[in-house]
Structure formats: C-alpha cells, structure tokens
Amino acid sequence: AEIIFDQTLFGIEDMTVKEEQILFPMALDKLTDAEWYEISKQSLEIGFCLYDPPTEWRPKGIEETSINEAQKSGNHIQLPSGGFSAAELLAILNTLPLDMTFVDKDDKVKYFSQGAERVFQRNRAILNRDVRHCHPPASAHIVDKIIDDFKSGKHDRAPFWIKMGEKMIYIEYFALRGEQGEYLGTLEVSHNIAPYRELEGEQRILSYT
Amino acid sequence: AEIIFDQTLFGIEDMTVKEEQILFPMALDKLTDAEWYEISKQSLEIGFCLYDPPTEWRPKGIEETSINEAQKSGNHIQLPSGGFSAAELLAILNTLPLDMTFVDKDDKVKYFSQGAERVFQRNRAILNRDVRHCHPPASAHIVDKIIDDFKSGKHDRAPFWIKMGEKMIYIEYFALRGEQGEYLGTLEVSHNIAPYRELEGEQRILSYT
C-alpha cells in the first residue's frame, strides 16, 4: 500500500510543481485579458476546484457579447412559420426538455443549448472545434461514419440509448437539410426518457409538476 | 331514416347555396391578391377538399417573405452559447423530434415549428391570434389558468399525456423566462412518446432508423 501511496504523492507533487513553475507563469505571459475573461465566464459552467471567487471579475475595456447585444440591435428573427426576438429564442431553446448540440456542414461545433436539466455538460471551449476532437478516439470512427452517411444522403438519423442509473438517456443524431435537401450540418439531441417510460394511464386535467 | 337523410340533404344544399351565393362572391370582392396568395400557400398545409390545383399560382407584384429574405440580409443569430444562420436555425427547429408552438407575453401565437412528424396540424392563420381563440371554449379556462400561473410565477410547467391509438401524446407547457425571471411567453411542446416506451435494453452501436 505504501508503494502505491508514495507514487500517488509523487505524482500529485510533480503535477503541482509543473503547474506552478511552468503552466501558470506561461499562461500569465501568453493569455490576454479577454481570454482570461472567457476562462472566468466558462468556469461558472464547469465549476470550481480549489477556489471559488466571491466577486465577479470583469476586466476593463472588454466588450460583453451577450444576448443583450443582439437585443439592442432589434434583432427579430423571421421564419416561414412565425418569428421571435433573440431573447425569446434563447428562452425557447434553453427551456426545451432536451439538450441540443449543432455541428455545421464543415464539422465545427457551432451551438449548444443551455437547459436547466442538461444530460451532458458542455462548455463554450468546444465552440468552433472540430466535432472529431470532442469525442474519445475510440468512438471517432463512429462519428466519421455518421457524418459521412449524412453528407452523402444515405441516412438521416442515428439513435442510441443507454442506461445510466435511474436514467435512460436517448441520444439521437439528425442530418439537417436545406430546402434543396443539401447537407447543413448535424444536430445531436439527448434527453432522459425514463420519465416517459414510467407514465401510467392518461393525464387530461391540469396538474403541475 | 328518411327523416334524418332529408334533413342532412337539406343541410348540405343550404350550406352550398350560402357558400356560392354569399361567401364566395363576398370573398372575391373583399380579399386582395396578397390575401388570396396567403390562402393558397396555407392550403398546401391543410390539404384540399374538392379541387387540388395542378399548377402553382403566384400573383404578380407579391413579395415572397421566406427564409431566403432573412438569408440575403446575412442574418447571423448569436446566442451566449454559439450561433447559427437563419437557414440553419430553420433546419434545427424543424428537425427536432417534437412540435413547438410559441405564445408571446401578450398571449399571441408567434411561431410554430414545421417538423415532418407533427402531432397536431398548425397553419399560419393562427399567427398573431390570441391563444384563447385557438382552443375550444370548453378548455379556455384551463388555458387561462396556466397562463395566469406562469405570469404570476406560481408555476413553470404543466404536463398532459393522452393515448391516441398506438400513440402516446405528451403535451407540456413551459413558462419562458428572461434573465431576470420575467415572463416572456409560453412554449407548448408535444410529441409521440410511444417509441420511447417500447425501447428495450440498450443501443450502443451504430444502427440507423
């Protein structure tokens, strides 16, 4: 037991030294205020390990590109079957009882929804990343196969379902197509379907959850 | 039996006369080309009864307000967790495996999705209509109650489920809220959950549907 413990201790100390002597000084040297601000905002989604800052930090001169920007410019989004403001769209996408991740036709992750009941955590570091770099190498060939088949028009959807404790996670990939059937990208949709499987009878009267 | 048949026959004849002598002449007199064009486009969604026109009709001088308009203006929609073009958003919303209808904070129907597997048919005549006028009078008090409770912040979601033949239709109403928790509207989400209830085991390997 002591042999394992010694090795673990050495491993931790080694990592700490590398972080303190190499990673942090280099990061302080190389990263800009704007990049640190992005890291700080994404930390809120990922959670904190050793230190949770009690105050919000915002460097001077950094422009916030939030939903408010889109709102200020009076951004109304008109689709063939109606429309909404950017704030309304944001609320709709984040309220839907499922998680979405959108990969564009060039295989780059372009959007993910931020619902309250997310099955898989996502953080903004994945935006603009190639989708193949978002999966473990062991499953990269499946990702490749799905995207190839969607691009060639051979298939349009690929479902998976997995038990995770009490949850039954349903993950489905959909080919997105334009008006002429051209490939626009892939949508990953995942949700816990266990509640749907446990329903009994009908519920026709109003009863809140 | 003859008494019933006579009455039905009289009812049909009476309706036909009213249509031909009153409704159609008045409609021809009152409606503009743009309005007839809207009716013609919506007819495609509703389906045809007596006559299905073999050619597409488009009156001169009518501007088409489709997704292409939004595209031409280079409409990129930026949200806090990524973004998409209008064409991409349209494909995403219509590919999601559920139907959505969005009612804004003033109780007006503003948008509905046009997925391939829609549970309930919607047509564009409902856009901008008060949501209370989209339901049979018998259920108007339920609509009122849900909207009141969402507006007051008392509740956030109201689920219903109904058996329809082989289908199990799950209908859920969600309160949409802005960053400060303010009421932005109500989202109706409905889908057939029967397939989720029939799944067995797990599906971890790639197999298309």
Side-chain angles (χ1 to χ4, degrees), chain A residues 45 65-68 70 75-98 100 102 104-105 110-114 117 124 127 142 145-147 149-150 155-164 168 170 172 174-179 184 187 189 191 193 195-209, chain B residues 45 65-68 70 75-98 100 102 104-105 110-114 117 124 127 142 145-147 149-150 155-164 168 170 172 174-179 184 187 189 191 193 195-209:
Chain A
E45 291 191 17
T65 54
S66 81
I67 186 69
N68 299 318
N75 197 342
H76 181 81
I77 300 145
Q78 184 61 49
L79 298 178
S81 56
F84 25 65
S85 70
E88 288 168 342
L89 174 63
L90 181 68
I92 290 171
L93 295 176
N94 289 344
T95 300
L96 281 170
L98 38 77
M100 281 171 273
F102 164 56
D104 76 356
K105 65 178 170 44
K110 286 293 179 179
Y111 167 79
F112 59 91
S113 62
Q114 300 180 294
E117 298 167 26
R124 287 183 275 196
L127 292 175
I142 300 177
K145 174 93 177 109
I146 293 173
I147 288 179
D149 288 341
F150 283 3
H155 290 288
D156 276 316
R157 50 202 293 182
F160 298 85
W161 55 96
I162 297 163
K163 283 185 184 138
M164 280 172 66
M168 171 80 108
Y170 195 83
E172 193 159 7
F174 294 92
L176 298 170
R177 306 212 181 270
E179 287 177 359
L184 293 181
L187 186 70
V189 173
H191 48 152
I193 57 166
Y196 300 137
R197 293 166 62 84
E198 289 151 12
L199 294 176
E200 285 175 27
E202 297 190 308
Q203 163 101 346
R204 289 175 171 273
I205 58 157
L206 178 58
S207 168
Y208 295 104
T209 44
Chain B
E45 292 192 14
T65 55
S66 82
I67 187 67
N68 298 319
N75 197 343
H76 181 81
I77 300 145
Q78 185 60 51
L79 298 178
S81 56
F84 25 64
S85 70
E88 289 168 341
L89 174 62
L90 180 68
I92 290 171
L93 295 176
N94 289 343
T95 300
L96 281 170
L98 38 75
M100 283 170 271
F102 164 56
D104 76 357
K105 66 177 169 47
K110 287 291 179 180
Y111 167 78
F112 60 91
S113 63
Q114 301 181 292
E117 299 168 24
R124 287 183 274 198
L127 292 174
I142 300 177
K145 175 94 176 105
I146 293 173
I147 289 180
D149 288 341
F150 283 3
H155 289 288
D156 276 315
R157 50 201 292 181
F160 299 85
W161 55 96
I162 297 164
K163 285 189 184 134
M164 278 172 66
M168 170 82 105
Y170 195 82
E172 192 159 10
F174 294 92
L176 298 170
R177 307 213 181 270
E179 286 176 2
L184 293 182
L187 186 70
V189 173
H191 48 152
I193 57 166
Y196 299 137
R197 294 165 63 84
E198 289 151 12
L199 294 176
E200 285 175 29
E202 297 190 308
Q203 164 101 347
R204 289 174 171 272
I205 57 157
L206 177 58
S207 167
Y208 296 104
T209 44

Side-chain angles (χ1 to χ4, degrees), chain A residues 129-144:
Chain A
R129 197 186 288 177
D130 191 291
V131 65
R132 288 176 196 83
H133 302 151
C134 299
H135 288 83
S139 62
H141 68 286
I142 300 177
V143 176
D144 271 334

Side-chain angles (χ1 to χ4, degrees), chain B residues 15-27:
Chain B
M15 198 184 68
T16 313
V17 169
K18 279 178 182 159
E19 277 182 359
E20 290 181 354
Q21 305 296 327
I22 305 165
L23 179 69
F24 295 157
M26 273 185 67

